[in-house]
Amino acid sequence: MALPAADPARSIPVLASPDIKATRDFYRDQLGFGIVGPEMDDYLIMRRNEMEIHFWKSDDRKLPEVSSCYIRGGEVPALHAEFSARGVEKLSPFTVRPWNMKEFYVWDPHGNLLRFGCAPEEV
């Protein structure tokens, strides 16, 4: 039997950004993410704990408006409380959805949708 990998494979969303610097500022200043790696004009990696999101520079401003990612886990209730306290704009209420997940949403300045969720019993 093989031992579990020390660095397990995981899925990381790669979202479009028409303005990498504005994206960096929003995720850093509003959502508490840090910058990973060298800063580049056409690619950005942001991380907060186990959450990692990559951004690529796109001149098509419609792409972010039809893009999203889902972040799930027991940390989600605390994130909503923190984002509310910070006054994050475009923050939805934290509520149980018809599919029995307690969720809230954040839209970044370019329209990318971040969906945060957890099982209601994790709250």
Side-chain angles (χ1 to χ4, degrees), residues 42-88:
D42 61 352
Y43 204 82
L44 174 66
I45 302 172
M46 302 293 292
R47 184 181 302 143
R48 177 180 169 144
N49 301 328
E50 295 299 313
M51 297 176 288
E52 184 171 311
I53 305 173
H54 294 201
F55 298 91
W56 61 282
K57 174 84 168 92
S58 172
D59 293 328
D60 185 345
R61 294 191 172 271
K62 293 184 182 200
L63 283 176
E65 295 173 6
V66 295
S67 298
S68 69
C69 71
Y70 197 91
I71 299 164
R72 179 179 178 164
E75 183 182 2
V76 167
L79 288 171
H80 188 266
E82 177 188 328
F83 296 166
S84 293
R86 285 182 184 225
V88 171

Side-chain angles (χ1 to χ4, degrees), residues 86-113:
R86 285 182 184 225
V88 171
E89 291 184 27
K90 298 184 181 178
L91 173 68
S92 77
F94 190 31
T95 186
V96 177
R97 306 294 175 179
W99 44 91
N100 199 35
M101 289 294 288
K102 188 157 187 185
E103 298 178 344
F104 71 90
Y105 308 145
V106 174
W107 288 264
D108 77 11
H110 308 300
N112 285 303
L113 171 62

